[in-house]
Amino acid sequence: MTKTNLAGIGVFLLVVFVAVPMMIAVSGRWDFYYTLTSVALLSIGSAGVWLTFYIGRINIGQGAYALMGGYVSAVLMTKVGVSFWLTLPLAGLFCAVISVAIGLPILRLRGVYFAMITLVLTEVTRLTALALPVTNGAKGITSIPLPGALTVFGVPLIPDFATIENPKLAFYLLAVTLMVLTYAALWRIVNSRLGHLCRSLQQNEELASSIGVNTAHLRLLAYAISSFFGGIAGAVFVAISQSIYPSSFVVTDSVNFMLYCFVGGLGFVMGPMLGTFLLYFGWDLLSVAREYQLLIYSAAMIALMLVLPNGVLSLFDRREGPK
Amino acid sequence: MMPILQIKNLTKRYGGLTANNDISFDVAEGEILSVIGPNGAGKSTLFKQIASFVSVTSGEVLFRGKTISNLAPHVVARMGVVRTFQETTIFKSMTVRENIIVAHHLRSKASLLGFFLGSKLARADEAAFGKSADDIVDFLGLEAIRNELASNLPQGHLRALGMAIGLATGPTVLLLDEPFAGMNHDETMKMVASVRRLRDERGVTVMLVEHDMPAVMKISDRIVVINFGEKIAEGTPAEIQANPRVIEAYLGSEDAAIGM
Ligand SMILES: Nc1ncnc2c1ncn2[C@@H]1O[C@H](COP(=O)(O)OP(=O)(O)OP(=O)(O)O)[C@@H](O)[C@H]1O
Ligand SMILES: [Mg+2]
């Protein structure tokens, strides 16, 4: 890692952990916490979608895993009484396991075929949530308790969110912490052998298998990691809204996850994060345009894709390969 | 000594089309064996069957006495039987060196998790791969294009890179499908020398498909000739050049250039 990289990371951490909370406190725009928390969580989901792009698959099904993760956390907390902090990794793992079962038959497909099936996946998950007794049908699961205290070996790490005077800030800090961890992991993946193999898969699957890569395994692994991220994002969303319904994540959300990756740039680890921020925050800011919100948003999106087909980050770097 | 590869009654049918039919021959360890024949004879299909990139309709391939037919290609590669491609097949958006490094996959001692965490073993692997990649670059004389993006390379260099990728896996048997295609005379002669050294210095058994007859005659210990999916001859270069069935097969096609 170069010095500029390190400096960039330092500045980024300062901004999200210090500058943003300070600016919000000064400006009194507390509503930004909700927006930025959403951006952080959504960009965890986008990171997963980006990784499936990285093995050459178009994933329009991340909403399904966000929904599953949310339900796993909600059910475990309300029906079994498990602590939120434990449901968080469990939600991710659940999604990873399910994605292996789903990926086994469908990851063989390429291009539009894989994309279409993942698109249907979100709808299937919604219908499943409607039908299953454990998810409580259309009524969903409500009155989910806030995350409790987290103590590890008697050391209190995180206080009970119900007793915190500013839970908005607490959720924001939780979301950006998870986001930072996710992108650190993604960066490591891309810059380690796993990422190199993913690139080999993306560029030529036949050649990859000729050099001994078990392409089926590798695709499953990438997809499982991707879905793990989706599940984590969903679980935290549920903790914030304290409720989940079959319509909490729908096909539009899945499509959005994919668009975030496109807009940010598929060749850049930070692409999905930036894309999520620009689109989600931009959408939010555009609410002043009222009935023209969607029109302006869509026009801006089309313009972006025309002018910068390789994503916004391609403005700053025209080298090929991972950044 | 047991042959390293035994091709036994290999047949491949695509629907009604028979790509090759009842082909049998042995490959001795450390030999350079060429498979020649007119366009569409079934040479590439034969290589794909050996490397398990396509299933066999009937017959089988034995590697050191054990069948390797109808396994997954990465399993066969792991056993040491590695093919290169007739079509230009490289990782386009990687540099030459990155292409070769990634192809060292089979030689990693560390797990993927180890690589993710940057374990000691993983760092040792990375260092070893980098060094070995540089060796391969030197071996094939690719120093000048080491850090060139693969998509920018001319045809001749692409063929060499394809071979470098195959080499990086540490093969026991390397199947080269038209390794000299698109190369000029000098490049071809350099590659011929490299393939020879591959066998002499590294003990790799080499099978190759080639249309460049002077190169084939120069490089091969033995030659197998296929025509319309059938093996019509097998022997040393001198025997093949004198074989009437071979001459007839080649005179019937455009490249009537078997005698030289
Ligand atoms: N996947 C496939 N499906 C159907 N037919 C195929 C397939 N692959 C090859 N063939 C046919 O099998 C026959 C043998 O093809 P193959 O590629 O093995 O020939 P070849 O000897 O390598 O020819 P060349 O010298 O032109 O490379 C051809 O008639 C070809 O059209
Ligand atoms: Mg061929």
Side-chain angles (χ1 to χ4, degrees):
Chain A
M1 208 182 301
T2 63
K3 272 197 179 133
T4 10
N5 273 346
L6 277 177
I9 292 169
V11 169
F12 177 77
L13 293 179
L14 272 178
V15 167
V16 296
F17 285 107
V18 182
V20 167
M22 269 169 58
M23 265 144 59
I24 289 180
V26 170
S27 67
R29 288 295 301 268
W30 299 98
D31 57 313
F32 275 169
Y33 268 138
Y34 184 75
T35 312
L36 290 174
T37 303
S38 300
V39 167
L41 294 178
L42 290 172
S43 57
I44 294 172
S46 317
V49 174
W50 186 88
L51 188 60
T52 28
F53 269 115
Y54 210 60
I55 58 163
R57 291 293 183 281
I58 302 167
N59 180 354
I60 329 181
Q62 189 69 319
Y65 294 104
L67 195 63
M68 276 183 227
Y71 269 110
V72 168
S73 176
V75 168
L76 286 178
M77 279 167 77
T78 56
K79 306 233 153 108
V80 192
V82 180
S83 151
F84 166 75
W85 302 109
L86 188 56
T87 69
L88 193 57
L90 289 178
L93 286 177
F94 180 89
C95 290
V97 171
I98 295 286
S99 74
V100 168
I102 293 174
L104 224 39
I106 71 167
L107 277 167
R108 246 174 290 218
L109 304 172
R110 301 184 196 193
V112 75
Y113 301 99
F114 178 81
M116 283 303 126
I117 291 188
T118 58
L119 189 64
V120 173
L121 199 60
T122 318
E123 189 59 10
V124 170
T125 310
R126 185 182 74 83
L127 294 174
T128 310
L130 264 177
L132 286 181
V134 69
T135 50
N136 204 24
K139 291 205 274 313
I141 300 173
T142 50
S143 320
I144 300 168
L146 286 169
L150 176 65
T151 356
V152 177
F153 301 121
V155 185
L157 283 184
I158 302 171
D160 190 335
F161 274 42
T163 65
I164 294 178
E165 72 180 85
N166 191 351
K168 274 188 180 153
L169 173 61
F171 272 122
Y172 169 78
L173 291 176
L174 170 64
V176 291
T177 305
L178 289 173
M179 177 182 79
V180 167
L181 290 176
T182 300
Y183 279 84
L186 191 62
W187 189 86
R188 259 319 285 168
I189 289 173
V190 165
N191 289 288
S192 76
R193 180 136 275 263
L194 178 54
H196 303 164
L197 292 180
C198 289
R199 281 176 75 202
S200 78
L201 208 58
Q202 180 201 57
Q203 293 176 32
N204 199 320
E205 294 195 3
E206 266 211 315
L207 182 58
S209 55
S210 85
I211 59 168
V213 178
N214 187 339
T215 53
H217 271 192
L218 191 61
R219 284 194 294 260
L220 278 179
L221 180 61
Y223 190 51
I225 295 171
S226 159
S227 309
F228 180 89
F229 290 157
I232 296 278
V236 182
F237 259 116
V238 167
I240 294 173
S241 57
Q242 295 188 269
S243 61
I244 183 163
Y245 307 94
S247 57
S248 291
F249 289 96
V250 291
V251 171
T252 325
D253 295 294
S254 288
V255 173
N256 281 336
F257 278 121
M258 179 194 62
L259 290 178
Y260 298 151
C261 294
F262 269 127
V263 166
L266 297 178
F268 311 86
V269 174
M270 289 302 157
M273 190 197 291
L274 182 72
T276 310
F277 175 79
L278 287 178
L279 287 188
Y280 192 90
F281 206 69
W283 172 255
D284 221 51
L285 289 180
L286 278 175
S287 62
V288 296
R290 292 162 185 276
E291 65 266 38
Y292 298 110
Q293 185 181 19
L294 185 59
L295 184 67
I296 301 177
Y297 179 83
S298 315
M301 181 103 95
I302 293 171
L304 262 181
M305 295 222 176
L306 285 177
V307 180
L308 297 170
N310 293 322
V312 173
L313 281 175
S314 62
L315 265 181
F316 303 101
D317 192 340
R318 297 206 161 269
R319 269 181 311 140
E320 306 234 4
K323 318 292 153 13
Chain B
M1 205 168 77
M2 181 198 273
I4 196 156
L5 277 183
Q6 292 161 271
I7 315 301
K8 292 196 160 170
N9 311 100
L10 222 46
T11 300
K12 179 71 193 176
R13 273 191 284 274
Y14 290 110
L17 185 136
T18 303
N20 53 41
N21 187 24
D22 200 25
I23 294 184
S24 301
F25 60 92
D26 289 346
V27 184
E29 181 146 18
E31 87 173 321
I32 299 179
L33 183 143
S34 296
V35 177
I36 63 171
N39 289 114
K43 308 178 295 294
S44 294
T45 304
L46 177 69
F47 272 25
K48 287 177 201 165
Q49 284 174 296
I50 296 174
S52 263
F53 270 72
V54 299
S55 60
V56 301
T57 306
S58 64
E60 64 175 340
V61 179
L62 305 182
F63 174 61
R64 295 204 160 120
K66 284 206 212 81
T67 184
I68 54 169
S69 291
N70 298 332
L71 298 175
H74 72 267
V75 175
V76 173
R78 176 156 303 155
M79 295 168 89
V81 179
V82 174
R83 71 174 281 218
T84 67
F85 295 76
Q86 175 174 358
E87 312 75 33
T88 299
T89 305
I90 39 106
F91 300 120
K92 280 201 199 71
S93 357
M94 298 187 195
T95 66
V96 167
R97 195 166 180 272
E98 285 171 338
N99 263 278
I100 303 174
I101 286 181
V102 81
H104 279 76
H105 175 63
L106 284 174
R107 303 210 215 166
S108 6
K109 296 194 191 69
S111 66
L112 284 177
L113 187 65
F115 279 105
F116 177 80
L117 299 172
S119 71
K120 219 171 161 188
L121 207 54
R123 275 177 287 144
D125 272 352
E126 293 294 1
F129 296 169
K131 194 182 164 300
S132 158
D134 289 333
D135 286 347
I136 293 174
V137 163
D138 295 346
F139 183 81
L140 294 175
L142 301 175
E143 294 90 345
I145 53 161
R146 193 189 307 257
N147 295 313
E148 193 68 48
L149 208 57
S151 56
N152 296 341
L153 298 179
Q155 185 63 22
H157 279 147
L158 287 173
R159 307 303 308 170
L161 177 55
M163 188 152 125
I165 292 172
L167 257 182
T169 63
T172 309
V173 179
L174 189 58
L175 308 168
L176 301 168
D177 199 342
E178 306 202 5
F180 314 134
M183 289 188 176
N184 63 31
H185 179 76
D186 288 352
E187 288 170 330
T188 303
M189 286 306 125
K190 246 177 74 185
M191 281 300 269
V192 165
S194 300
V195 172
R196 272 240 138 97
R197 281 179 53 214
L198 195 62
R199 187 268 308 274
D200 297 344
E201 294 170 17
R202 305 191 179 200
V204 179
T205 305
V206 181
M207 284 182 74
L208 56 96
V209 164
E210 219 356 280
H211 287 289
D212 182 337
M213 286 309 146
V216 167
M217 296 304 157
K218 196 166 150 71
I219 200 172
S220 313
D221 297 319
R222 283 192 313 134
I223 298 173
V224 166
V225 189
I226 299 182
N227 194 20
F228 293 116
E230 313 257 355
K231 186 180 97 174
I232 59 168
E234 178 179 352
T236 62
E239 286 164 1
I240 293 299
Q241 273 170 298
N243 186 311
R245 286 192 71 189
V246 176
I247 294 167
E248 189 190 351
Y250 268 84
L251 286 177
S253 75
E254 293 161 34
D255 36 3
I258 187 79
M260 68 281 310

